[in-house]
Amino acid sequence: MKALLVEDDPNVAEALIESLEQRGWDVEHASDGRSAVEAVPNWDIILLDLNLPDVDGLEVCQRLRANHSVPLIAVTARSDQMDKVLCLRLGADDYIVKPYHLQELLARMTAVIRRSESHQLPQNEPQGNAVKARTHISHGPLTIDQWSRSVTVHGRELPLTRKEFELLSLLSGSPSRVFTREQLSEAVWSTSWVGASRTLDTHVAAVRRKLGDPGWIRTHRGVGFSFEPKH
């Protein structure tokens, strides 16, 4: 497994690289944002510090996510809730604040990689209707293509972000099932920190707006949300 570590502090980078390599990781190091964005992508995960000397880490996160689907974890000293929300909105899969325990970081790395792999079909999947049945979710005018990660309503494609797509896919895959806030936060963001609730509300509101009808996603006050099919 290979990781891209984006960290400007040489002491922090050296210590983390050593720890990861002792556990079998191959680590590529970028000391600034520009180097990270321009690096040749061949990683299984990106560990991104937000306090970089040349480009703000949030912008780097946005650029990396625009070009790569590799799981990305922000590993940073920024503990402000708004930084967390913005970073997750821009495509980070998880957010961990320094100082942290190495075992927690390793657990989060494993979780986001596992979740990313669960959205990918094996290369030897059979072709034809068998694949279509497993990769398409249809509810009346709504169609979700998990292979191309596209969503259409009445034939109109919706411009969903990565997290909005994952949220809608999870909910619509089990219609009428009530998912708690904790379940959704853990499944989509691999976290249960308090600020995730606000991020979840923001994403639900965005998905409802893009679907054109808030009735697709029902709020269960004090519990969570469910997907309600329309015919």
Side-chain angles (χ1 to χ4, degrees):
M1 300 291 282
K2 187 166 186 176
L4 171 66
L5 173 62
V6 188
E7 171 63 64
D8 69 315
D9 187 322
N11 294 324
V12 173
E14 182 180 358
L16 183 53
I17 290 172
E18 181 179 357
S19 296
L20 291 175
E21 288 181 341
Q22 288 176 351
R23 288 161 176 80
W25 283 86
D26 182 8
V27 184
E28 178 180 352
H29 178 219
S31 59
D32 56 57
R34 181 171 300 177
S35 299
V37 172
E38 295 177 352
V40 177
N42 61 341
W43 329 288
D44 297 288
I45 195 168
I46 300 170
L47 304 177
L48 173 65
D49 182 21
L50 299 185
N51 295 322
L52 300 173
D54 56 342
V55 184
D56 184 78
L58 292 174
E59 183 177 346
V60 176
C61 176
Q62 185 176 30
R63 291 186 187 181
L64 288 170
R65 178 52 65 232
N67 296 325
H68 314 297
S69 59
V70 177
L72 186 154
I73 300 178
V75 184
T76 177
R78 295 190 192 179
S79 58
D80 184 77
Q81 181 175 334
M82 186 53 64
D83 280 325
K84 295 179 181 180
V85 172
L86 287 174
C87 193
L88 292 169
R89 285 181 181 175
L90 291 173
D93 296 276
D94 204 350
Y95 194 108
I96 186 170
V97 177
K98 300 175 182 176
Y100 55 85
H101 292 291
L102 178 63
Q103 292 303 320
E104 179 184 359
L105 175 61
L106 292 169
R108 289 174 181 262
M109 291 168 67
T110 300
V112 298
I113 290 175
R114 183 173 62 244
R115 191 170 69 248
S116 175
E117 290 175 343
S118 71
H119 290 293
Q120 302 175 11
L121 286 177
Q123 295 299 313
N124 60 353
E125 282 285 351
Q127 301 299 310
N129 292 334
V131 170
K132 184 175 181 180
R134 281 193 289 272
T135 62
H136 283 68
I137 299 175
S138 295
H139 297 289
L142 174 67
T143 299
I144 301 173
D145 187 337
Q146 295 179 319
W147 180 266
S148 63
R149 298 181 69 84
S150 63
V151 178
T152 59
V153 174
H154 296 292
R156 174 177 59 89
E157 186 167 353
L158 306 185
L160 298 183
T161 66
R162 181 183 179 187
K163 292 302 183 184
E164 289 168 358
F165 177 86
E166 292 178 2
L167 177 62
L168 179 59
S169 292
L170 177 61
L171 289 169
S172 62
S174 301
S176 299
R177 172 185 170 182
V178 179
F179 288 87
T180 67
R181 289 176 170 273
E182 292 76 13
Q183 288 172 332
L184 292 171
S185 296
E186 181 63 32
V188 179
W189 288 275
S190 190
T191 183
S192 57
W193 55 273
V194 176
S197 182
R198 182 175 298 180
T199 300
L200 174 59
D201 287 336
T202 300
H203 281 71
V204 168
V207 172
R208 282 171 168 162
R209 183 177 66 253
K210 293 177 181 180
L211 287 172
D213 183 348
W216 284 104
I217 300 178
R218 179 183 176 186
T219 299
H220 297 265
R221 192 173 301 278
V223 182
F225 301 93
S226 66
F227 179 86
E228 302 302 327
K230 296 181 179 296
H231 303 287

